[in-house]
Amino acid sequence: MHVIILGAPGSGKGTQSAEIIKHFSLKHLSTGDMLRAEITAGTELGIAAKTVMDKGELVSDDIILGMVAEQIKSTDKGILFDGFPRTIAQAEGLDELLSEMDSEIAHVIELEVNNDEIIERMLARGREDDNEETIRNRLEVFENQTAPLIEYYSNQSKVSTVLGSGSVDDIFSRIEKVLSA
Ligand code: B4P
C-alpha cells in the first residue's frame, strides 16, 4: 500500500508521518528531509536546492523525480510519500514510476489547516526557511502548484480530507481510520 500525505507547508505532514510509520508498515519518504540531508552534506545538489528552498520556491521536478525514483526502486515496502508530489508533473511522474512496477497509490490524505495557524506554527518551528516572507511565498506556491493535485487525485477517487488542527494524537486517529478502512 502506497500513501501520499498532502497539505500546505507547515500543515504537519512530517509530524503525522512520524506517527503513521509507528503504526503501519510503510517506508517514510520525505523529499524535504532528503533535500535537507543533501544541504547538510554540502553536495552540489544540496547547494543548488538551498538557494531555491530559502526563497520558498520548489526544487525542479527533474531533480526530485530522480531522487524519488532511486528510493522507490530500492524497496519492496509500501511507501509513505511526505511532501511529494508537489506539482502535477511530479504526480504524473510518480504514477508512471509506480505503473512500471504494477503498483499504484492507495490513499491520498489531505491535511487541512487554516493559513493563520500555519504561519503561527512555522514561525514557532523556526527552521531556516521559516521567516514570514518565505512562508507567505510557500503558501502562494502551494495554492498555485500543489493544490491542483487535490483535483488530480480526486479524479482517481483517492482523496480523504482530514482536519489537521487539534492535538497530534487526535489528528493521527482521524488518519488511522482512513488507512484502516
Ligand atoms: P517540507 O520539508 O515538505 O516541509 P513543510 O511542508 O514546511 O512542513 P510539514 O507539513 O512537514 O510540517 P511539520 O510537520 O514540520 O518542505 C520544505 C521545502 O523543501 C519546500 O518549501 C520546498 O522548497 C522543498 N521541497 C520539498 N519537497 C519538494 C518537492 N517534492 N518538490 C519541490 N520542492 C520540494 O509541522 C510544522 C510545524 O507545526 C512544526 O513545528 C510542528 O511541530 C508543528 N505542528 C505539527 N502538528 C501540530 C499540531 N497538531 N498542533 C500544533 N503544532 C503542530
Side-chain angles (χ1 to χ4, degrees):
M1 171 173 85
H2 299 302
V3 177
I4 293 172
I5 185 155
L6 189 75
S11 56
K13 301 181 293 290
T15 304
Q16 289 302 321
S17 293
E19 296 303 309
I20 295 169
I21 57 164
K22 280 187 211 159
H23 298 84
F24 294 88
S25 173
L26 294 169
K27 176 190 161 82
H28 181 201
L29 192 157
S30 158
T31 43
D33 287 351
M34 288 161 74
L35 291 168
R36 283 185 288 277
E38 296 282 343
I39 293 174
T40 305
T43 64
E44 211 174 301
L45 192 161
I47 292 164
K50 187 173 186 316
T51 317
V52 176
M53 289 164 78
D54 282 348
K55 284 191 262 175
E57 303 287 340
L58 296 181
V59 174
S60 86
D61 292 333
D62 286 350
I63 290 179
I64 297 286
L65 280 166
M67 281 185 353
V68 169
E70 231 174 86
Q71 293 289 318
I72 293 179
K73 287 174 185 157
S74 69
T75 184
D76 293 334
K77 269 176 104 174
I79 300 177
L80 172 61
F81 294 98
D82 160 12
F84 170 87
R86 261 178 155 95
T87 63
I88 295 284
Q90 290 180 19
E92 288 172 346
L94 176 61
D95 276 352
E96 215 173 290
L97 279 167
L98 292 177
S99 82
E100 282 167 17
M101 302 167 79
D102 275 331
S103 192
E104 63 171 325
I105 295 295
H107 296 282
V108 177
I109 308 278
E110 179 201 5
L111 275 182
E112 206 174 47
V113 182
N114 72 53
N115 281 2
D116 289 346
E117 184 167 345
I118 280 179
I119 292 170
E120 209 175 293
R121 282 184 191 183
M122 286 202 281
L123 288 175
R125 180 174 64 179
R127 210 168 61 193
E128 213 175 320
D129 55 342
D130 285 338
N131 62 71
E132 196 147 356
E133 195 189 332
T134 304
I135 294 169
R136 290 203 185 277
N137 192 33
R138 282 155 69 194
L139 287 170
E140 209 176 303
V141 167
F142 174 78
E143 279 310 320
N144 293 333
Q145 301 194 52
T146 309
L149 293 182
I150 293 157
E151 194 189 341
Y152 178 90
Y153 287 112
S154 292
N155 290 338
Q156 302 180 10
S157 307
K158 289 179 177 163
V159 179
S160 301
T161 303
V162 165
L163 179 65
S165 50
S167 74
V168 172
D169 285 352
D170 285 349
I171 300 163
F172 174 68
S173 300
R174 295 174 199 141
I175 294 175
E176 192 175 25
K177 270 191 205 129
V178 173
L179 297 184
S180 306

